[in-house]
Amino acid sequence: MKNPITICLLFFTLLSCKTKEKEIRTPEKSPLELGQVNVNTKSMEFFVSDTLYSGWNTFIYNNESQEVHFIMMDLYPEGITIGNTKSELLPPFDDGMRYIMENQMDSAMTAFGKIPEWYQKVKFLGGTGLVSPKYTVKSTVYLEPGRYMMECYVKMFNGTWHTSHGMLKEIIVKNEVSELTPPTTTAQIDISSTDGILLKDSLSSGRQVFQTNFIDQKVYENFVGHDVNLVKYDATASLDSLVLWMNWMNPRGLRTPAPVGFTFLGGMNNLPAESKGFFEADLTPGNYVLISEVPEADEKQLLFKFSID
């Protein structure tokens, strides 16, 4: 007959085995469940999962290409798909840009007048700012469930859109919510159509996590709202050339090559009024500017300069 000590040892051994077996069987969380979205571009494409979780997501965008790109997340109206985009939305923008390149502004406006009505219902829910070749950036945004288009509409050397060359990907954001929570911030940026861009905190070199607060939002002359792009510039750079380049309606705007002397370090793409997003950057000594991709950003106070010692 077994004594009580032996029975207890057997009991705790079995309990320990069961616990270990349970731990072994518990599946690890995937990066997507944790809100980590890896995106790569090698040329004119987005390599990224077709399905994401809703809630907070951090986009880690690695631009391995030779051109400046960005990520913009467009939440589409019910029933509209990438097929509608290719057949109804891209042609007016393609035609309009071609006329702009030919200096036929009246014809361009006529072409843009054919943009489908459903486009007015698209909701822009952030992404990254502009990213220079061979750079990796991080942006954190809150995604609602639905059908999205991930896009980049920077222009090639001949003025044609990157969207028309493959930088347009349909993504489904499901109802299940990621486990990610917003990051701890080191600096706050307010942006509005009335007061422009305001950096509310002093900065030092090293890793910074910016919270971008969209006080309001409006549609500008270039059919999109304001955003925040972090750009470092050197002694060869002309801020006037950057301001002109940030307006895609200018024939040279958002067109390869980017203006000399600037390095694009990400940021936060368009968000609705009264919403927020986050982006990270490793700041080194030098001169920087926060700028929106709108016509005449300097005159709209949507350009903010600062330096790191």
Side-chain angles (χ1 to χ4, degrees):
M1 182 176 177
K2 295 185 173 75
N3 61 48
I5 295 175
T6 303
I7 293 172
C8 287
L9 286 172
L10 285 171
F11 173 77
F12 284 114
T13 301
L14 287 171
L15 183 62
S16 175
C17 289
K18 289 288 185 182
T19 303
K20 289 180 180 178
E21 182 180 355
K22 185 177 180 181
E23 289 175 354
I24 292 171
R25 289 179 179 177
T26 301
E28 292 185 3
K29 301 289 185 181
S30 70
L32 291 178
E33 288 178 279
L34 299 175
Q36 178 179 317
V37 183
N38 294 298
V39 187
N40 281 11
T41 290
K42 295 184 181 297
S43 179
M44 287 288 159
E45 72 288 290
F46 292 118
F47 294 106
V48 62
S49 174
D50 296 331
T51 305
L52 303 179
Y53 286 77
S54 56
W56 290 105
N57 285 272
T58 295
F59 287 92
I60 304 170
Y61 182 37
N62 183 17
N63 180 10
E64 300 181 56
S65 77
Q66 300 296 323
E67 301 198 32
V68 175
H69 293 300
F70 62 71
I71 291 175
M72 189 169 183
M73 294 296 289
D74 311 343
L75 176 58
Y76 267 36
E78 187 71 29
I80 303 298
T81 70
I82 194 169
N84 298 95
T85 304
K86 291 180 177 179
S87 64
E88 302 168 18
L89 184 61
L90 294 188
F93 274 106
D94 287 340
D95 292 343
M97 196 66 244
R98 186 178 68 254
Y99 286 127
I100 287 176
M101 298 292 292
E102 296 171 356
N103 200 28
Q104 300 183 48
M105 290 305 298
D106 289 342
S107 297
M109 292 301 107
T110 299
F112 293 138
K114 297 177 182 178
I115 293 171
E117 290 186 9
W118 58 256
Y119 185 68
Q120 306 303 319
K121 299 177 183 177
V122 171
K123 192 173 182 180
F124 302 104
L125 292 183
T128 73
L130 291 156
V131 185
S132 284
K134 312 306 177 184
Y135 277 79
T136 299
V137 301
K138 289 185 181 181
S139 291
T140 300
V141 298
Y142 190 91
L143 299 179
E144 302 172 13
R147 185 187 306 272
Y148 286 73
M149 297 300 144
M150 177 183 284
E151 68 165 316
C152 170
Y153 56 79
V154 175
K155 294 181 287 186
M156 299 187 73
F157 67 94
N158 62 357
T160 57
W161 306 101
H162 286 184
T163 46
S164 299
H165 290 268
M167 297 206 75
L168 181 71
K169 182 175 175 62
E170 188 173 75
I171 293 176
I172 301 300
V173 174
K174 52 191 180 179
N175 291 321
E176 293 121 298
V177 180
S178 80
E179 296 188 6
L180 187 68
T181 56
T184 302
T185 60
T186 59
Q188 302 255 348
I189 300 169
D190 284 355
I191 180 169
S192 70
S193 61
T194 54
D195 297 325
I197 293 175
L198 177 62
L199 177 61
K200 301 175 67 177
D201 300 277
S202 59
L203 297 171
S204 58
S205 61
R207 177 178 174 270
Q208 302 291 337
V209 180
F210 297 89
Q211 177 175 318
T212 54
N213 305 307
F214 283 67
I215 308 303
D216 67 5
Q217 186 58 278
K218 65 176 283 186
V219 177
Y220 293 84
E221 306 95 301
N222 57 344
F223 308 123
V224 294
H226 47 242
D227 59 357
V228 177
N229 297 273
L230 175 64
V231 190
K232 188 176 184 180
Y233 62 97
D234 61 29
T236 67
S238 163
L239 284 178
D240 288 342
S241 69
L242 178 65
V243 170
L244 289 172
W245 194 78
M246 295 297 286
N247 174 17
W248 68 255
M249 296 193 78
N250 183 307
R252 295 295 313 173
L254 283 191
R255 183 177 168 187
T256 299
V260 174
F262 296 97
T263 303
F264 297 91
L265 299 173
M268 179 52 55
N269 223 311
N270 296 13
L271 284 175
E274 301 181 350
S275 57
K276 63 185 178 182
F278 306 84
F279 70 92
E280 300 181 26
D282 187 12
L283 301 183
T284 55
N287 296 314
Y288 294 81
V289 61
L290 297 166
I291 185 170
S292 282
E293 186 230 313
V294 300
E296 300 174 331
D298 53 344
E299 296 183 10
K300 295 180 173 71
Q301 302 181 72
L302 289 168
L303 182 154
F304 186 98
K305 294 187 291 183
F306 66 96
S307 297
I308 298 296
D309 298 326

